[in-house]
Amino acid sequence: MALSDEQFIAAWREGRGSPDRVAEITGMGIRGVYSRRQKLSRRGINLETVATTPQGAAQAVYTQSWSYTRERQATVENGHVVIFSDAHFWPGSRTVANEALLKLIKILKPARIIANGDVFDGARISRHDPHGWGQPPSVKEELDACLERMHEIALAAKRGTPLDWNIGNHDQRFDRALAINAGQYDGVVERLADKFPEWEMAWSIRLNGSVMVKHRQANGIHATYNNTLKGGLTMVTGHLHRLAVTPWADYTGRRWGVDTGTLADPLGPQFEYLENNATPWCSGFAVLTFKDGKLLPPELCEVIDGVAYFRGEAV
């Protein structure tokens, strides 16, 4: 008979966080124990592995909450939502797309601004090996650049504009490095969210119940199509740096898959790992317009030959 989640969690506590002991208690194989724990982790229930000692391990600690808010919800009846992603802000660098973003925010006066992940790059704390003798900026140097650029965006917006930040995989590097290397300082050192009090951080935000904005979902050349097809909503994602809008329609109506591109320069030093390979990446960002609560066709601000264009005009 399969164990319920509650029974498995109880067995984990009884086993004092030892997967081997949990396997003995439940009769499950050790691979099954790890697999079950991983499934619970995806739902935000994290079960710590605690080393056993002759005196007995401390009771395992688990939480029913996510590290970041799973999904925020917001309503935009009329107005614009400006969404940028994958800025990978680099010290001493200010891109054309970044300048265009500031200008359009002042012109459009959006109802919300969403940073859709990977504001921070984390080159020094990447899992990838360094490229030759090149020295990427330190975490502090990168963080200072992010603080400056994100504050500029906040200042460009009208007072009181909600500022949202969906966590990206590069953003996670900041907290992950602390958790791995300085876990004993939990509650003492500041997390990424603590550094940016102007911005509300979460994994995703749903607009008007019909538009899901999150950093990533599907991969590949057909990602925007697959996102909206499988998500059942208009899906706005970053991560792939492609800057694209893919329409889809079925019996539920018309919707779109949107890739918000990259606010960075695709040829910037952040991306040396590409080894100068050709990519479909594009610098720019997306603008959503709502009319009476309905989403109109999404628009893109795209950098072409060093000039940012929006609605057929140079920004």
Side-chain angles (χ1 to χ4, degrees):
M1 182 176 177
L3 292 177
S4 67
D5 289 343
E6 291 75 15
Q7 289 172 322
F8 183 82
I9 291 170
W12 194 275
R13 296 181 65 180
E14 182 182 346
R16 297 178 179 270
S18 167
D20 289 329
R21 182 76 182 107
V22 173
E24 293 176 6
I25 294 169
T26 62
M28 298 172 64
I30 190 66
R31 291 180 62 183
V33 170
Y34 279 109
S35 177
R36 184 67 174 272
R37 184 179 69 164
Q38 186 176 35
K39 289 178 181 178
L40 288 170
S41 178
R42 294 193 190 107
R43 292 172 43 208
I45 303 173
N46 300 308
L47 303 177
E48 285 189 356
T49 298
V50 179
T52 56
T53 66
Q55 293 76 30
Q59 181 171 303
V61 178
Y62 65 93
T63 176
Q64 297 284 348
S65 63
W66 289 48
S67 297
Y68 291 97
T69 301
R70 182 181 64 84
E71 178 183 304
R72 301 183 66 239
Q73 298 190 13
T75 300
V76 181
E77 192 66 20
N78 291 287
H80 304 290
V81 178
V82 172
I83 307 175
F84 69 94
S85 72
D86 300 273
H88 298 274
F89 285 127
W90 205 253
S93 173
R94 186 186 297 275
T95 66
V96 172
N98 193 168
E99 293 287 357
L101 176 72
L102 297 174
K103 291 178 181 178
L104 275 183
I105 287 173
K106 293 176 182 178
I107 293 170
L108 296 176
K109 296 178 173 55
R112 302 189 82 87
I113 299 172
I114 301 175
N116 204 19
D118 285 1
V119 170
F120 177 79
D121 184 77
R124 285 276 185 101
I125 50 177
S126 167
R127 60 184 174 84
H128 300 291
D129 294 330
H131 307 291
W133 296 104
Q135 288 296 317
S138 67
V139 170
K140 184 181 187 307
E141 289 168 335
E142 274 197 45
L143 184 62
D144 287 345
C146 291
L147 287 166
E148 180 180 359
R149 298 288 180 266
M150 294 298 274
H151 187 57
E152 288 174 346
I153 293 168
L155 289 176
K158 63 183 179 181
R159 185 181 295 274
T161 300
L163 304 174
D164 305 297
W165 180 339
N166 291 332
I167 296 296
N169 54 298
H170 279 254
D171 300 323
Q172 291 178 58
R173 290 177 175 178
F174 189 93
D175 288 348
R176 183 182 65 195
L178 289 174
I180 292 173
N181 299 305
Q184 64 272 30
Y185 285 93
D186 183 27
V188 178
V189 297
E190 289 185 317
R191 304 171 68 212
L192 188 66
D194 299 324
K195 304 284 187 182
F196 297 86
E198 295 174 303
W199 296 80
E200 289 285 344
M201 292 192 184
W203 287 113
S204 63
I205 182 168
R206 188 186 299 226
L207 303 174
N208 295 2
S210 61
V211 179
M212 176 60 76
V213 186
K214 62 194 303 290
H215 179 62
R216 60 179 176 172
Q217 184 156 302
N219 286 309
I221 194 68
H222 300 298
T224 50
Y225 161 75
N226 285 324
N227 285 341
T228 191
L229 178 69
K230 297 177 181 180
L233 305 170
T234 288
M235 293 283 296
V236 184
T237 56
H239 187 58
L240 300 181
H241 302 186
R242 288 182 52 231
L243 194 64
V245 176
T246 303
W248 182 249
D250 52 28
Y251 290 119
T252 66
R254 188 168 174 83
R255 59 186 186 268
W256 295 268
V258 181
D259 184 325
T260 48
T262 173
L263 206 66
D265 179 353
L267 301 180
Q270 306 96 311
F271 310 122
E272 186 176 0
Y273 62 85
L274 291 174
E275 302 174 9
N276 198 33
N277 290 334
T279 72
W281 294 6
C282 186
S283 191
F285 52 93
V287 177
L288 305 186
T289 302
F290 291 89
K291 179 69 173 177
D292 298 326
K294 299 293 185 181
L295 176 64
L296 302 183
E299 301 173 281
L300 302 176
C301 177
E302 180 171 337
V303 176
I304 303 172
D305 296 330
V307 179
Y309 292 92
F310 181 67
R311 296 177 179 172
E313 300 290 337
V315 179

